[in-house]
Amino acid sequence: MLDGMFSFVLLDTRDNSFIVARDAVGITSLYIGWGLDGSIWISSELKGLNDDCEHFQCFPPGHLYSSKNGGFRRWYNPIWFSEAIPSSPYDPLVLRRAFENAVIKRLMTDVPFGVLLSGGLDSSLVASITASHLAGTKAAKQWGSQLHCFCVGLEGSPDLKAAREVADYLGTVHHEFHFTVQDGIDAIEDAIYHIETYDVTTIRASTPMFLMSRKIKALGVKMVISGEGSDEIFGGYLYFHKAPNKEEFHRETCHKIKALHQYDCLRANKSTSAWGLEARVPFLDKDFINVAMAIDPQWKMIRPEEGRIEKWVLRKAFDDEDHPYLPKHILYRQKEQFSDGVGYSWIDGLKAHAALHVTDKMMQNAEFIFPHNTPNTKEAYYYRMIFERFFPQNSASLTVPGGASVACSTAKAVEWDASWSNNLDPSGRAALGVHLSAYADTGGSAAAQAAKVSSSKMINNNVLPRMMEVSAKEVAIHG
């Protein structure tokens, strides 16, 4: 039923040969390593390889490895993988049914579960469909027919407000977790140890998710459904506003899907599994991807003058006047990256904290200390120092992608707007002239924003109290 979602190993005991297969797009993490004695190691974490392997690497998604043949072979080879420009007309009902089926598939469970609800389009659609189809399932009979939803953010953050409104609209049991900037900073080292990356945007988003997952597991919940993958499939990141044509738009979505295992899937899988929580992602259902990626990208292009914002084809598919899935303003809420949506001061606080630990002299020598993926900001340097302490092997640093990025773009897409090369930051607010709260509209560049948070504030407990607040609705679900 959930074919292509899991990785596995098959061992032939007759000759001890084996075959390893990784899931289609890298929803779950997998690595392969080689020992000095010729042994081959497979692990879902770098930590399982770094003491025993001479070198190791990411196991490529959608591939098989045969010990007999000694090499990789791609088993997942959909039409979109070639990056040929599709031409199928947009049919909103076909797209809607495909996604509903993807969500319903993931309701097969015999454990307590819920939905990660940020209040954005993707997670809100997941929650809406789950809530409407939960009754009558095996899970509902065992754990109740009222859906539980979970959200995390700084006090007063955009996500908390929107998620609360969606939960009220859907009638779900809503669990709202608050954290402070200092809570997040205190958890950075643990997050990097578990997420196993030094990528800036992944760490920014993983840390709140890591904190939330611990709280969710403490309630007795064992599985969550999440909204990762939609932005890659539909061009939902704000930099897609500047895509010059449908060909470039489509190729960028293909590149983003192929890299998911190093970014959002890595975050969703490891932030949750660190606490023994399983994450399921219906947007990355193979059948749904095939339907969505077959649409002529002309329909996905962002045309503000025609009322078409990012992910318009998905929004339109669920814009049902007779049986609304979501409130209209939620259905058409602007894309907010998770690391921004939890509260804008989160990223600004991280930059200020990093500035306390990384000097200008350290940055001048960065290319000599870290010749591969040389950090170009103090925040990136700070994360790299922590990562290298846990994973000093050269093979480990090579598992993390690099390159210029603005608002989570690939390096190629940075070329779409000349001004972006001077404002390279993975935050959605770096999409100048697009994000409603862009850096340029709130007092200057990304660096200037970080500078506004003084070092005295970072150590003043009255400004940043070290505590975790949980809403009164935190009701345990016992398994």
Side-chain angles (χ1 to χ4, degrees):
M1 181 67 75
L2 296 179
D3 60 313
M5 179 177 168
F6 301 107
S7 303
F8 63 84
V9 178
L10 294 177
L11 174 66
D12 189 336
T13 56
R14 294 171 298 182
D15 58 4
N16 286 329
S17 64
F18 61 88
I19 293 175
V20 184
R22 188 173 183 186
D23 68 280
V25 294
I27 296 171
T28 54
S29 298
L30 200 66
Y31 302 91
I32 183 170
W34 292 266
L36 284 171
D37 59 356
S39 58
I40 299 174
W41 297 68
I42 304 294
S43 176
S44 61
E45 295 186 319
L46 290 177
K47 291 182 284 292
L49 303 177
N50 56 8
D51 290 336
D52 299 288
C53 296
E54 179 187 19
H55 69 280
F56 46 87
Q57 66 180 63
C58 282
F59 195 110
H63 279 74
L64 293 168
Y65 180 89
S66 168
S67 62
K68 287 184 176 179
N69 299 331
F72 294 101
R73 180 173 64 83
R74 170 166 287 282
W75 67 264
Y76 179 60
N77 196 28
I79 295 174
W80 64 265
F81 206 86
S82 69
E83 301 180 17
I85 310 303
S87 58
S88 297
Y90 167 55
D91 187 329
L93 292 181
V94 169
L95 187 64
R96 183 198 298 183
R97 282 194 293 267
F99 187 59
E100 287 182 323
N101 289 337
V103 174
I104 293 169
K105 280 184 189 178
R106 283 149 183 81
L107 299 184
M108 286 183 55
T109 183
D110 56 1
V111 300
F113 80 98
V115 169
L116 302 184
L117 177 62
S118 69
L121 172 68
D122 309 324
S123 64
S124 297
L125 284 177
V126 171
S128 177
I129 296 168
T130 302
S132 62
H133 288 88
L134 183 58
T137 64
K138 182 180 179 181
K141 293 176 182 177
Q142 286 184 288
W143 314 109
S145 58
Q146 192 172 19
L147 179 64
H148 288 254
C149 293
F150 309 95
C151 184
V152 66
L154 302 176
E155 189 73 53
S157 70
D159 279 1
L160 290 181
K161 180 177 181 295
R164 198 177 305 124
E165 185 174 355
V166 173
D168 289 342
Y169 181 83
L170 298 176
T172 66
V173 179
H174 189 55
H175 306 264
E176 182 177 288
F177 305 119
H178 300 162
F179 78 105
T180 67
V181 173
Q182 191 62 50
D183 289 326
I185 288 171
D186 290 342
I188 286 290
E189 291 202 11
D190 285 341
I192 292 175
Y193 175 77
H194 286 285
I195 310 306
E196 302 181 322
T197 187
Y198 52 83
D199 175 68
V200 170
T201 188
T202 303
I203 293 169
R204 288 175 177 178
S206 293
T207 305
M209 195 170 187
F210 177 78
L211 293 171
M212 176 173 59
S213 296
R214 176 170 66 91
K215 290 291 185 177
I216 293 173
K217 185 59 185 292
L219 294 176
V221 174
K222 297 182 179 180
M223 183 271 283
V224 290
I225 307 178
S226 192
E228 278 77 18
S230 173
D231 292 309
E232 288 73 15
I233 294 170
F234 296 105
Y237 293 108
L238 297 184
Y239 72 89
F240 276 95
H241 279 250
K242 300 297 181 74
N245 52 59
K246 72 175 188 178
E247 291 80 13
E248 289 278 333
F249 190 107
H250 181 71
R251 280 192 286 269
E252 178 72 2
T253 59
C254 293
H255 296 165
K256 292 293 291 180
I257 296 172
K258 292 176 184 179
L260 268 170
H261 67 288
Q262 296 176 303
Y263 295 102
D264 284 25
C265 285
L266 183 82
R267 165 180 57 80
N269 173 242
K270 291 186 176 181
S271 295
T272 53
S273 62
W275 302 104
L277 192 64
E278 177 195 354
R280 297 184 181 179
V281 283
F283 278 109
L284 297 181
D285 177 85
K286 288 195 304 175
D287 293 335
F288 178 73
I289 294 177
N290 289 340
V291 170
M293 292 301 289
I295 299 172
D296 187 328
Q298 186 65 39
W299 290 97
K300 295 180 182 178
M301 290 283 286
I302 299 164
R303 307 289 192 199
E305 68 280 3
E306 299 175 18
R308 286 164 50 178
I309 63 173
E310 64 276 358
K311 295 187 286 195
W312 177 84
V313 292
L314 181 62
R315 300 175 195 272
K316 188 65 177 175
F318 288 91
D319 192 351
D320 191 327
E321 297 287 350
D322 297 326
H323 304 286
Y325 286 77
L326 295 168
K328 208 81 157 180
H329 64 284
I330 295 292
L331 192 63
Y332 289 93
R333 181 189 176 198
Q334 185 182 61
K335 163 66 185 173
E336 193 77 88
Q337 289 172 206
F338 183 63
S339 54
D340 287 322
V342 296
Y344 296 149
S345 60
W346 167 234
I347 292 177
D348 300 336
L350 286 174
K351 292 177 178 179
H353 178 73
L356 299 177
H357 295 270
V358 180
T359 66
D360 293 341
K361 184 68 175 291
M362 293 165 73
M363 290 301 299
Q364 290 172 8
N365 294 320
E367 64 180 307
F368 305 108
I369 304 299
F370 304 117
H372 174 71
N373 283 347
T374 303
N376 56 12
T377 67
K378 291 185 175 182
E379 183 187 7
Y381 194 109
Y382 178 65
Y383 299 153
R384 186 67 174 271
M385 287 194 302
I386 298 171
F387 178 88
E388 296 276 343
R389 193 164 73 245
F390 291 132
F391 311 104
Q393 302 86 344
N394 186 54
S395 290
S397 66
L398 295 176
T399 65
V400 181
S405 176
V406 63
C408 288
S409 74
T410 64
K412 176 65 176 175
V414 173
E415 300 172 7
W416 292 350
D417 190 302
S419 67
W420 287 349
S421 61
N422 298 318
N423 194 56
L424 296 175
D425 191 285
S427 166
R429 288 183 291 160
L432 304 182
V434 178
H435 195 288
L436 295 178
S437 298
Y439 286 128
D441 297 331
T442 54
S445 68
Q449 289 294 309
K452 288 183 179 179
V453 184
S454 69
S455 59
S456 62
K457 285 188 177 182
M458 299 306 299
I459 59 175
N460 186 339
N461 286 334
N462 292 325
V463 177
L464 298 173
R466 300 179 62 174
M467 61 183 292
M468 174 76 76
E469 298 178 6
V470 182
S471 72
K473 285 189 174 183
E474 184 178 329
V475 181
I477 309 172
H478 299 289

